[in-house]
């Protein structure tokens, strides 16, 4: 059957006489109203599962409203989401960062600024005195995370960079970035001369002389 | 973890922050459902008592204690029914329309406005205050064209709102009852020409829309005004004819008498026991059972008469903005609130004529004697509170059905509106008059009820089985099928 013929068939079907039942329209109207009423009662009496993780709100006794009331209810980002950066601390609170500048070099937006300092501890020689990320310049490409040899910078905070009211507030310094769970890799122990102490207030163990003439 | 891992494996590892814990709120939800519904019905019951109580207080100034309809009672009714009940209900309906439509369309609806100090959306009720304030403080703009006919331009909203507002005066919300030492009823006007008052005043509403459309000096507004006047005049005929069957059944045009005839009489209630007014011993003598088709026709015609969707061609927000296009501020608000007031009035008329008015089915005499035992001598008065409650619940239900139609059905085209009015509803309601008259002559109320029940069964059968649309065919299947037998689909049924 050629295409044109099928088209005429379709048109003939569309324009065919309505049955009397359809012409009266009352049945169609009542059917439509019944559907709307079903939704109404289901949503009025149904239990609203307001956990953000629930995307498909089907099932008996559950209402059909899929809207999240945004500021009060937030859906978490998916696990692979490249969120705001964080500097990963060691178990004692010091940053894992060894100020190698590889993230700053890899960054295409040049939003990372690092000033290195030196530990007395010979095993880990360097640490960042200043580590700042301008979240307004960041293009969230994740190259810094890829470049880091020490797993010291991550984008796993599960949140986006917060809105700020002035540009300087979007520059996050080391203290602001040093958050989240500490990470200890078994290969780390080779780099420590003495066993690490338990978690202590930040900065206590960062004693040592700075590099450069600050 | 032995070595530094790839980003992918690290994401799968456990030191990624876990998702927020799952909240279970079923118990909370159950509490809100039960508490909410209990509070809602308790509020309506309390409201019924307050309505009756305030009217009784004001009626106390009247001299004749055994006759209803004194001056002060009317004043009380005007204050409490028309200025408070109708206006508050219409205002709440603006919100209910938005919230109910949200529920019907799987949305949340407006819930952002907050009262100061209360961190709860309160089901969107603060939006009413916001809406009213917006209407009050918006600029009352007068376009250059409208300024040429300022008087008529200002008269438009008044003529649209005034008649709609006055219509509620004849809705009987309670029986005439001896309420704690004074005979009262919740009805402003006890007119002998009852329902004719509705037809007369509803026609006046046409002037409002037509004047608004013309004096706006705007082509779209004029189109809306013309459509409104044609539509309202057309449906006036059907509106009257659908009710003729009800006049035959009740033998009166008084709304209060019609309501009274749909249940136990006052004397029967005092007797207690079974309800003697039941037809065949089980069927409440409600209008909807004696005149089911008239009920549907009247509801359809009334929705066209008050220009509600799906008959809102005069407004038609998406094509012509409508007859109130040039209005702003409070005048625009008057048009909007008039529509909701009209909805309340139509629901009130349907309740009074077809849904038994204030009557509670089956239980009235038994409930009356039970309440009489509870508080001796005041059974009828206490029952009246439940009857007003029943009326309000029925009223809200009819309003809900009208909103249901509004959100389920798309707007009719203008020619379809005319076709429906003149070529379908008008002959059908004429046929209904003839059938009802014949049935009434043949066997009184019983025969009317039998015919009505047959109509209901036939209607349900029509909705459920007859004239079903054939199952949707895929284009491919239809192509193959249609080549062999082009009439296969129509022949299937």
């Amino acid at each position: 059957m050629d295409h044109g013929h099928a088209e005429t068939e379709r048109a003939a079907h569309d324009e065919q006489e309505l049955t009397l039942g359809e012409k009266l329209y009352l049945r169609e109207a009542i059917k439509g109203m019944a559907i709307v009423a079903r939704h109404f009662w289901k949503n009025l009496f149904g239990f609203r599962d307001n956990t953000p993780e629930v995307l498909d709100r089907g099932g008996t006794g559950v209402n059909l409203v899929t809207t999240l009331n945004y500021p009060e209810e937030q859906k978490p980002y998916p696990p692979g989401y490249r969120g705001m950066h964080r500097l990963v601390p060691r178990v004692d609170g010091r940053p894992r960062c060894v100020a190698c500048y590889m993230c700053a070099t890899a960054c295409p937006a040049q939003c990372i600024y690092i000033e290195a300092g030196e530990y007395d501890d010979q095993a880990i020689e360097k640490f960042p005195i200043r580590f700042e990320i301008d979240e307004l310049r960041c293009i969230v490409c994740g190259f810094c995370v890829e470049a880091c040899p020490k797993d010291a910078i991550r984008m796993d905070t599960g949140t986006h960079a917060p809105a700020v009211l002035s540009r300087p507030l979007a520059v996050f310094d080391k203290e602001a970035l040093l958050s989240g769970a500490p990470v200890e890799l078994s290969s780390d122990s080779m780099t420590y001369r003495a066993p690490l102490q338990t978690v202590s207030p930040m900065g206590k163990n960062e004693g040592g002389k700075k590099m450069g003439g600050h | 973890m032995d070595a530094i891992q790839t980003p992918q494996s690290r994401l799968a590892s456990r030191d990624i922050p876990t998702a927020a814990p799952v909240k279970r709120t079923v118990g909370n939800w159950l509490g809100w459902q039960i508490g909410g519904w209990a509070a809602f019905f308790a509020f309506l019951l309390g409201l019924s008592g307050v309505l009756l109580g305030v009217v009784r207080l004001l009626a106390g100034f009247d001299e004749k204690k055994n006759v209803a309809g004194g001056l002060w009672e009317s004043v009380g009714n005007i204050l409490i029914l028309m200025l408070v009940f109708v206006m508050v209900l219409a205002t709440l309906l603006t919100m209910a329309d938005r919230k109910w439509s949200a529920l019907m369309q799987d949305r949340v609806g407006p819930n952002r406005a907050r009262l100061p100090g209360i961190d709860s959306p309160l089901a969107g009720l603060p939006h009413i205050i916001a809406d009213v304030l917006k209407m009050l403080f918006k600029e009352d703009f007068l376009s250059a064209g409208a300024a040429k006919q300022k008087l008529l331009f200002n008269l438009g909203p008044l003529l649209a709102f005034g008649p709609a507002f006055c219509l509620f005066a004849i809705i009987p919300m309670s029986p005439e009852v001896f309420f704690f030492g004074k005979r009262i009823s919740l009805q402003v006007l006890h007119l002998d020409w009852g329902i004719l008052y509705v037809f007369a005043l509803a026609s006046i509403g046409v002037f409002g829309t037509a004047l608004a459309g013309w004096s706006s000096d705007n082509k779209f507004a004029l189109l809306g005004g013309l459509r409104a006047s044609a539509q309202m005049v057309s449906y006036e005929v059907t509106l009257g004819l659908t009710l003729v069957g009800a006049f035959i059944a009740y033998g009166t045009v008084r709304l209060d008498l019609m309501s009274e005839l749909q249940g136990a009489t006052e004397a029967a209630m005092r007797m207690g026991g079974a309800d003697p007014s039941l037809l065949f011993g089980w069927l409440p003598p409600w209008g909807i059972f004696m005149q089911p088709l008239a009920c549907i026709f009247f509801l359809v015609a009334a929705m066209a008469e008050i220009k509600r969707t799906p008959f809102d061609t005069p407004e038609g927000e998406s094509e012509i903005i409508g007859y109130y296009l040039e209005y702003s501020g409070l005048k625009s608000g008057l048009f909007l609130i008039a529509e909701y007031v009209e909805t309340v009035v139509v629901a009130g008329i349907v309740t009074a004529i077809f849904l038994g008015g204030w009557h509670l089915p089956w239980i009235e005499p038994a409930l009356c004697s039970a309440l009489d035992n509870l508080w001796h001598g005041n059974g009828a008065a206490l029952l009246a509170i439940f009857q007003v409650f029943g009326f309000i619940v029925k009223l809200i239900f009819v309003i809900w059905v009208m909103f249901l139609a509004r959100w389920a059905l798309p707007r009719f085209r203008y020619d379809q509106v005319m076709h429906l009015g003149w070529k379908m509803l008008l002959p059908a309601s004429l046929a209904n008059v003839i059938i009802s008259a014949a049935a009434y002559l043949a066997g009184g109320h019983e025969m009317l009820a039998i015919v009505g029940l047959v109509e209901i069964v036939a209607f349900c059968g029509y909705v459920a089985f007859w004239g079903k649309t054939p199952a949707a065919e895929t284009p491919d299947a239809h192509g193959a099928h249609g080549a062999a037998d082009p009439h296969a689909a129509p022949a299937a049924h």
Side-chain angles (χ1 to χ4, degrees):
Chain A
M1 184 185 296
D2 63 315
H3 186 66
H5 186 56
E7 284 293 309
T8 8
E9 283 286 323
R10 288 285 297 283
H13 181 71
D14 289 345
E15 287 169 14
Q16 78 181 0
E17 279 289 300
L18 295 172
T19 62
L20 185 61
E22 286 169 338
K23 263 190 197 163
L24 277 180
Y25 191 62
L26 212 49
R27 188 175 77 88
E28 316 296 322
I30 286 177
K31 258 168 68 180
M33 284 165 71
I35 292 171
V36 172
R38 199 167 67 232
H39 279 250
F40 180 87
W41 292 115
K42 226 176 166 178
N43 290 333
L44 188 65
F45 288 115
F47 161 60
R48 179 159 182 274
D49 196 348
N50 64 349
T51 48
E53 293 79 16
V54 181
L55 292 178
D56 181 21
R57 293 171 201 273
T60 44
V62 178
N63 78 8
L64 304 163
V65 180
T66 48
T67 314
L68 284 177
N69 294 315
Y70 170 64
E72 294 94 32
E73 304 165 6
Q74 293 185 16
K75 182 176 162 315
Y77 287 116
Y81 178 74
R82 287 204 292 263
M84 220 188 95
H85 308 83
R86 73 178 176 105
L87 275 179
V88 182
R90 297 179 195 277
V91 285
D92 60 356
R94 293 188 292 178
R96 290 181 63 84
C97 177
V98 294
C100 68
Y101 291 87
M102 282 180 80
C103 53
T105 312
C107 181
Q110 303 188 357
C111 65
I112 302 178
Y113 174 77
I114 303 173
E115 265 180 42
E118 196 174 322
Y119 282 129
D120 293 335
D121 186 334
Q122 290 300 304
I124 306 170
E125 290 177 358
K126 285 164 73 188
F127 74 99
I129 294 173
R130 289 174 66 186
F131 192 103
E132 288 169 1
I133 298 181
D134 186 349
E135 295 288 352
L136 285 182
R137 297 191 66 160
C138 175
I139 58 167
V140 208
C141 62
F143 284 3
C144 49
V145 182
E146 304 277 339
C148 183
K150 300 299 285 181
D151 194 13
I153 184 167
R154 288 187 177 186
M155 300 177 86
D156 62 358
T157 44
T159 178
H160 51 265
V164 289
L165 288 173
S166 72
R167 284 165 187 276
L169 292 178
V171 180
F172 286 80
D173 59 8
K174 190 173 76 173
E175 280 68 34
L177 290 168
L178 203 60
S179 65
V183 169
E184 188 64 23
L185 303 177
S186 53
S187 57
D188 289 349
S189 60
M190 290 187 287
T191 62
Y192 300 138
R193 177 173 292 167
L196 285 171
Q197 292 159 14
T198 47
V199 179
S200 58
M202 214 180 297
K204 271 281 177 65
N205 292 344
E206 285 184 9
K209 62 178 189 248
K210 296 171 187 172
M211 281 173 69
H214 272 280
Chain B
M1 286 183 280
D2 294 316
I4 293 176
Q5 298 155 324
T6 61
Q8 280 79 13
S9 66
R10 207 177 63 195
L11 282 170
S13 72
R14 286 195 309 169
D15 56 77
I16 300 294
T18 53
V22 175
K23 283 182 282 182
R24 301 305 298 176
T25 51
V26 174
N28 198 1
W29 161 81
L30 201 64
W32 273 107
Q33 284 285 334
I34 294 171
W37 285 98
F40 177 65
F41 285 116
F43 168 75
L44 288 187
L45 201 58
L47 179 71
S48 315
V50 168
L51 291 178
L52 280 166
V54 174
V55 173
R56 165 68 188 85
L57 277 181
L58 280 165
F61 294 113
D62 287 330
E63 283 170 11
K64 294 175 183 168
K65 300 294 179 201
N66 284 320
V67 181
L71 176 68
W72 281 101
E73 187 199 318
S74 300
V75 170
N77 271 325
I78 289 174
L79 285 179
I80 200 77
L81 287 190
M82 296 179 71
L83 293 183
V84 177
F85 182 72
V86 174
M87 286 315 287
V88 168
L89 194 58
T91 316
L92 285 175
L93 279 186
T94 61
M95 200 61 232
D97 202 4
R98 295 168 74 185
K99 276 306 233 194
W100 289 354
S101 69
L103 286 174
M104 289 167 191
Q105 298 170 350
D106 299 344
R107 290 183 286 113
V108 173
N111 68 349
R112 292 292 98 181
R114 294 282 192 280
L115 290 177
I118 302 176
D119 190 28
S120 157
L122 297 176
L125 287 177
H127 278 270
I128 294 176
I129 300 170
D131 288 349
V132 169
L133 286 179
K134 188 196 92 171
M135 287 291 181
L136 282 177
F137 289 106
K138 243 176 135 173
E139 185 193 355
D140 185 16
F141 180 74
L142 196 66
S143 65
K148 284 184 274 180
Q149 304 98 6
K150 206 167 168 218
L151 176 69
L152 294 182
F153 186 75
N154 289 337
L155 208 56
L158 291 181
L159 277 182
F161 177 76
F165 183 62
C166 294
L167 276 178
F168 200 83
I170 62 147
I171 309 285
M173 275 188 64
S174 87
E176 229 181 81
V177 67
F178 202 72
F179 194 80
F180 298 106
K182 169 81 180 80
R183 207 170 162 76
I184 59 166
S185 71
L186 285 186
Q187 186 184 8
V188 179
L189 283 174
H190 300 262
L191 290 177
D192 283 339
W193 33 293
I195 194 77
L196 302 181
Y197 173 87
V198 174
F199 297 148
L201 271 187
S203 321
I204 304 276
V206 182
F207 285 101
T209 50
L211 278 183
W214 180 76
S215 63
S216 294
D217 194 25
N218 180 308
K219 290 184 180 64
F220 288 118
L222 185 61
L223 266 178
L226 279 177
R227 285 183 184 189
S229 41
Q231 177 176 323
M232 290 165 86
V233 169
S234 301
Y235 275 83
E236 208 111 294
V237 184
T238 315
L239 202 66
L241 276 175
T242 48
L243 287 186
V244 172
F247 302 157
I248 292 170
Y250 303 125
T252 177
V253 290
R254 285 183 64 149
L255 277 173
D256 44 352
L257 282 182
M258 284 191 196
S259 296
E260 206 170 316
L261 288 169
Q262 294 179 62
T265 56
E266 215 176 329
M269 280 185 214
R270 289 224 185 78
M271 301 287 290
D275 191 340
S277 69
L278 293 178
L279 293 170
F280 321 120
W282 55 272
L283 187 69
W286 286 8
I288 191 166
F289 298 121
M290 291 196 279
Q291 293 284 317
L293 291 185
C295 179
I296 296 170
F297 294 158
F298 179 78
L299 202 56
V300 173
M303 281 174 69
E305 177 74 19
I306 65 174
K307 309 180 288 294
R308 292 289 290 180
T309 326
F311 300 100
D312 64 341
T313 41
E315 291 159 28
E317 292 91 348
S318 49
E319 29 173 322
I320 59 172
I321 292 89
Y323 54 88
Y324 51 66
L325 168 58
E326 290 288 349
Y327 288 88
S328 64
L330 208 52
K331 287 177 196 160
S332 169
L334 270 183
F335 275 122
L336 296 178
I337 202 82
E339 198 172 305
Y340 288 102
V341 171
E342 281 172 333
T343 308
V344 176
V345 169
V346 165
I349 295 171
V350 169
T351 308
I353 298 183
F354 293 107
L355 294 182
W358 62 77
H359 280 296
L360 310 168
W362 300 298
I363 54 165
E364 266 182 338
L367 187 61
C368 185
S369 55
L371 289 169
D372 219 26
N373 290 336
L374 201 67
W375 189 351
H376 189 67
N378 288 318
L382 291 180
L383 180 66
I385 296 177
F386 283 96
Q387 286 173 327
V388 174
F389 168 73
F391 185 92
I392 296 176
V393 170
K394 288 177 199 173
L395 185 77
I396 291 175
F397 173 74
V398 178
I399 291 171
W400 178 75
V401 170
M402 289 167 79
F403 281 176
L404 207 59
R406 171 179 180 154
W407 291 104
L409 307 176
R411 181 184 308 131
F412 287 121
R413 222 168 44 215
Y414 182 65
D415 64 317
Q416 290 170 330
V417 173
M418 287 296 139
H419 177 82
L420 179 69
W422 287 110
K423 287 164 82 177
M424 294 174 84
L425 281 184
L426 186 61
S429 51
L430 276 173
N432 182 55
V433 170
I434 293 165
I435 292 171
S436 305
Y440 189 72
L441 280 179
H445 285 119
E446 273 82 4
M447 186 54 81
L448 268 182
I450 289 171
V451 171
L453 287 179
V454 169
E455 281 173 0
I456 289 176
V457 170
F459 183 75
C460 291
Y462 152 69
V463 169
F465 304 114
W466 183 54
K468 265 204 193 310
T469 320
E473 293 171 84
T474 58
D476 289 343
H478 183 257
H481 200 66
D485 180 10
H487 299 292
H493 47 92

